[in-house]
Amino acid sequence: MSDFSAEAMGLVIREHRQAQSPSMTQEELAEQADYGKGGAVSISRIERGLVSPGEHRLAAIALALRLTPAQLKQEAEDRTRSLARQRGQRPVKLREQVAETKRRHAEINEKAAQRSKITQELGEAFNRVHDVVRDEFFMRFVELAETISGAPEPERPGEEEIESTGEIPTAIRVEAMSVGIANAIRGVAAGGAAGVAAGGAAAYGAFTAAALFGTASTGTAISTLAGVAATNATLALLGGGTLAAGGAGMAGGILLLTGMVAAPAAALAAAGFYVVRQRRNKKEEERLRTEVGVAEAALDQSQKGFDTMVDVLPRTTAIMEYVSVHGTHALEKWRVSLPPEPRDWESLGYEGQERYKEFLNVAGCFLAVSIINVPALLTAKPDDLREMDKAIDETLRYADKIIKSIV
């Protein structure tokens, strides 16, 4: 990851935008950089140093400004060092020190408040479409699939395929989730108690728990492939309970996320008393200045994780929105084409059977996207964040490709 601050990158982008002939507006830059609806808001947040664009966004912005990403990064790194030197020149007089500390304190609170606002907006957008896909595609498919007797047991990743890779590739992980979903469907159809009849989030939680905790024919637990221990812990935090208790992905986790991004400002609450005082002595000023510095460092350290989250959530939402429109439509067409109940696997015909398998793949992709551990991005160390960002990007790219090739 490049060594520049979000503030520095924002200043550089704003200066280059304004230096265009004629001067480019934020709306124009957003349009040329392929931002969607409300893109000017995203550009404004970048220029104010609230977020720093990810690699693909930065490349699009650079192209719009007739620059290369490398040029923007280098200028941002130079500006980061320049800003650090300026801030290293602390005022000598106590009155000036107090004024500077108040300014820094206000900036921290504003930045934390804006982070919380951004997080809430992105999280709520994801939650809304996630719940639609959960109810109108995922659980609807499960409901239809349960009515089909004799569906064959799906092929599973073999031990050789799994052991031949140091890490579980995205394709195998998603395939394993699809297998788990199929096995859970077979179990319910055979009289199991996955809770589908309960409806809503509880049914989804119970069913996906059964799917993720399933076992492959090789004896390899699906949980090994899907990382269900971490998944269950994440869902317990985000969904207000474990999968079996109805935890539903990121739904319900907005308070957790907003609390995490605002934590540095919250840590200053105890010191806030000194900020509003008209006078304070050198000892009090030194204490507040130290605490402000700690909060600033915490914000800086979490910036790249926050930036990654801001990149990930809209991408997951876009995938969900595609399924909510095209997946639900394709599923309804399949439902209409199904033979009357009672129905068995052979009565579906070749085309109906292939559609069943394809919807299993879409369901596996949906589950893989739903359980991405977003809060972990905010606390990850740089090396871990790089690996997490890479893994999430692979998951989202794979899910997007598979879903769009099917529905």
Side-chain angles (χ1 to χ4, degrees), residues 1-2 4-10 45-46 48-54 111-112 114-115 118 260-261 264 295-311 377-380 382 385:
M1 294 184 180
S2 301
F4 59 79
S5 68
E7 178 188 13
M9 178 57 78
R45 286 169 172 170
I46 289 171
R48 290 158 60 199
L50 297 175
V51 298
S52 188
K111 191 169 187 178
Q114 287 298 320
R115 279 194 183 187
I118 293 168
M260 291 175 72
V261 299
E296 287 174 333
L299 282 172
D300 290 342
Q301 289 168 5
S302 63
Q303 182 69 52
K304 292 193 182 299
F306 178 74
D307 292 339
T308 303
M309 183 194 73
V310 170
D311 179 64
L377 297 171
L378 299 175
T379 56
L385 181 59

Side-chain angles (χ1 to χ4, degrees), residues 118-130 254 313 317:
I118 293 168
T119 302
Q120 185 165 356
E121 289 174 357
L122 296 178
E124 288 180 347
F126 172 88
N127 286 345
R128 283 193 297 270
V129 70
H130 167 275
I254 303 306
L313 281 175
T317 301

Side-chain angles (χ1 to χ4, degrees), residues 42 67 69-70 87 104 108 117-118 130 162 171 180 198 209 222 233 244 246-247 258 271 276 291 334 347 364-365:
S42 297
L67 299 166
R87 286 165 183 166
R104 291 165 61 193
I108 290 169
K117 180 180 178 182
I118 293 168
H130 167 275
I162 295 169
I222 295 298
T258 54
V276 298
E291 294 185 3
W334 183 63
S347 69
C365 289

Side-chain angles (χ1 to χ4, degrees), residues 311-369:
D311 179 64
V312 165
L313 281 175
R315 292 174 66 190
T316 61
T317 301
I319 290 172
M320 296 288 181
E321 287 174 341
Y322 189 91
V323 177
S324 74
V325 175
H326 301 285
T328 54
H329 177 69
L331 184 64
E332 177 60 18
K333 287 181 64 176
W334 183 63
R335 184 194 68 80
V336 172
S337 72
L338 291 174
E341 296 187 55
R343 55 177 73 102
D344 59 24
W345 180 251
E346 295 302 325
S347 69
L348 267 61
Y350 176 78
E351 186 174 342
Q353 292 171 357
E354 289 302 301
R355 238 12 202 160
Y356 172 92
K357 296 174 185 176
E358 290 173 343
F359 288 135
L360 268 180
N361 286 333
V362 175
C365 289
F366 165 74
L367 193 54
V369 171

Side-chain angles (χ1 to χ4, degrees), residues 156-192:
R156 301 166 174 77
E159 285 186 347
E160 298 81 6
E161 186 180 11
I162 295 169
E163 293 176 356
S164 66
T165 59
E167 298 179 356
I168 305 300
T170 298
I172 296 178
R173 186 164 59 250
V174 174
E175 182 183 353
M177 291 183 183
S178 298
V179 169
I181 293 168
N183 281 338
I185 290 171
R186 287 159 53 85
V188 174

Side-chain angles (χ1 to χ4, degrees), residues 11 25 48 58 62 79 121 159 184 197 206 212 239 265 311 342 369 386 407:
L11 290 171
T25 66
R48 290 158 60 199
L58 185 63
R79 183 62 61 86
E121 289 174 357
E159 285 186 347
L212 289 174
D311 179 64
V369 171
R386 276 190 287 270
V407 296

